[in-house]
Every structure is written in C-alpha cells, then in structure tokens.
Amino acid sequence: QKAVVEHGADLGLAHDGDADRCLAVDASGAVVDGDAIMAILAIAMHQRGELPDDTLVATVMSNLGLHIAMRDAGITVRTTAVGDRYVLEELRAGNYGLGGEQSGHIVLPAFGTTGDGVLTGLQIMARMAETGRTLEALASVMRTLPQVLINVPVQDKSAATSAPLVQDAVTRAEDELGREGRVLLRPSGTEQLVRVMVEADTADTARRLADHIADVVGAVG
C-alpha cells in the first residue's frame, strides 16, 4: 500500500507464498479484496457474454455487499462452504466460469482448475485497460458492509449452534437486519470454537448484534 502511493502507481498486486491468491491495492492505497475482485471480473465477463448462466460461485464468508452488487448487475451468486475445494466442486457441477474467496483465491476454469494470483492480476489490469477506468472506480461497484467476527470457545460446537436460545437470538437479529445484513454461525473445523459473524449497514449495529449472539453462544456452549 505504501509503495503504490509513493511511486504514484495505478495499482499494486500482492500474492501469498505460492501465488495462488491475489489481493490488489488501488492508486489511493486502499486494499481491493477478493470479493471486490470477483465483482469486477464477474461484471466484465457478464458484459462480454462469457459468464455461464450469469453465475458467480463464492463462499459463505463473502461479504453481503458482493451479493447486493451481483444482484444489481443481474448475476446470480452460488454459495459454498469455506475452502477453494468447495468452490471448485460447485464450478464443475454447474459448468460455471468464475468462483473464488474473499481471501483472493480466484478460480477461472477457462484457464485452470486452481487459483493463479498472477492470472488474477492480469485479469484485473486487462479490465482497467479495456474500460479506461481506475481500479478504485471499478471496485466501487461493491460496497463492503461492516463485518464483525467473534470466536466463541465452547465445549460442544453442535449443541451450541443448535440450542433454542441461540437460534432465537439469531432469528431476532436477522429480523432486525432484514435485507441489509446477515448472521452466520460457523463451527470451527479445527478448534472448539463457534465463529459468530454479523454484517450490517453500520459497524455499531454489527458489533451490538454479534456481541449479543456471542454471549448467548458462550452461555449455552
């Protein structure tokens, strides 16, 4: 982020150790995450008629803002469990053309069956060149809703998530949020934790509801 601003660059690209993921940085130094990258590429493919069934595959951790942006663009989002293996399974099952994760793991089946951060970066730059728009402008199609994630230690993950008191707290939160937010309870696959995630129109609302649900999960877990 610092280097992009210092050099007056149009964008920056960052990869993980094996370069299967890609995150971007716009000219102002702001991070463009995997959700925003998927939004940019999905709309580009949709407009070119290259997005099979007008469908994007994403995981449950993708921000609600991505779903809203895709709905406004006439694109369906298919949701999978967290993990690129599940994204790939759904891509293959439906013969879809684009999928990925918020972490920047983007899969384009026309080019390969795994993420390729260099390819993702090239696709972003190609879209900038094609449209003549800045990365900031392209990414603005999606507004990331404030998200709060709380890890709650529990003795029994299944019992904690299925407890009537917890389900009631989730239902009440969802009723309050309506279409402007969402609640996700996800037992950890490796630890004795339940992850409570809330997205809302404001950070204060997300924090208040997440704290309340986390308290209930902790009390029954």
Side-chain angles (χ1 to χ4, degrees), residues 58-79:
T59 77
V60 293
M61 290 305 294
S62 278
N63 193 272
L64 180 62
L66 174 63
H67 293 259
I68 294 172
M70 295 298 92
R71 184 179 68 215
D72 291 345
I75 296 170
T76 299
V77 179
R78 300 280 297 181
T79 304

Side-chain angles (χ1 to χ4, degrees), residues 33 35-36 39-40 43 62-70 72 102 136-147 179-181 199-206:
D33 69 8
D35 283 345
I40 292 168
I43 289 173
S62 278
N63 193 272
L64 180 62
L66 174 63
H67 293 259
I68 294 172
M70 295 298 92
D72 291 345
Q102 190 181 58
E136 181 180 11
L138 291 172
S140 68
V141 69
M142 176 188 153
R143 172 181 171 250
T144 300
L145 271 65
Q147 182 185 90
R179 299 183 67 183
E180 301 304 316
E199 291 171 350
D201 194 48
T202 68
D204 287 345
T205 299

Side-chain angles (χ1 to χ4, degrees), residues 107-127:
V107 182
L108 290 151
F111 297 97
T113 57
T114 187
D116 182 334
V118 176
L119 172 65
T120 300
L122 289 168
Q123 292 289 324
I124 295 168
M125 291 187 286
R127 182 58 172 172

Side-chain angles (χ1 to χ4, degrees), residues 13-211:
L13 299 173
H15 307 296
D16 59 341
D18 60 355
D20 66 346
R21 299 172 191 267
C22 176
L23 295 179
V25 175
D26 70 23
S28 73
V31 172
V32 177
D33 69 8
D35 283 345
I37 292 171
M38 283 191 286
I40 292 168
L41 299 187
I43 289 173
M45 293 172 68
H46 174 65
Q47 291 178 348
R48 294 195 297 262
E50 297 174 356
L51 190 66
D53 289 339
D54 296 321
T55 297
L56 167 69
V57 178
T59 77
V60 293
M61 290 305 294
S62 278
N63 193 272
L64 180 62
L66 174 63
H67 293 259
I68 294 172
M70 295 298 92
R71 184 179 68 215
D72 291 345
I75 296 170
T76 299
V77 179
R78 300 280 297 181
T79 304
T80 75
V82 175
D84 56 281
R85 59 171 288 192
Y86 301 110
V87 172
L88 182 57
E89 286 175 2
E90 186 66 22
L91 285 168
R92 285 173 167 165
N95 290 317
Y96 301 124
L98 175 64
E101 298 184 274
Q102 190 181 58
S103 60
H105 192 281
I106 311 297
V107 182
L108 290 151
F111 297 97
T113 57
T114 187
D116 182 334
V118 176
L119 172 65
T120 300
L122 289 168
Q123 292 289 324
I124 295 168
M125 291 187 286
R127 182 58 172 172
M128 292 171 65
E130 177 186 11
T131 61
R133 302 180 69 196
T134 65
L135 180 57
E136 181 180 11
L138 291 172
S140 68
V141 69
M142 176 188 153
R143 172 181 171 250
T144 300
L145 271 65
Q147 182 185 90
V148 173
L149 177 66
I150 302 175
N151 293 322
V152 185
V154 296
Q155 295 296 318
D156 187 327
K157 292 179 282 188
S158 178
T161 54
S162 62
L165 284 175
V166 173
Q167 292 299 311
D168 181 63
V170 170
T171 298
R172 289 174 180 271
E174 289 176 336
D175 287 344
E176 178 179 340
L177 292 168
R179 299 183 67 183
E180 301 304 316
R182 66 176 181 134
V183 177
L184 178 66
L185 287 189
R186 190 165 69 88
S188 168
T190 57
E191 302 173 85
Q192 285 301 116
L193 299 172
V194 170
R195 307 190 196 283
V196 177
M197 191 272 284
V198 177
E199 291 171 350
D201 194 48
T202 68
D204 287 345
T205 299
R207 171 57 63 182
R208 173 174 56 81
L209 294 177
D211 283 342

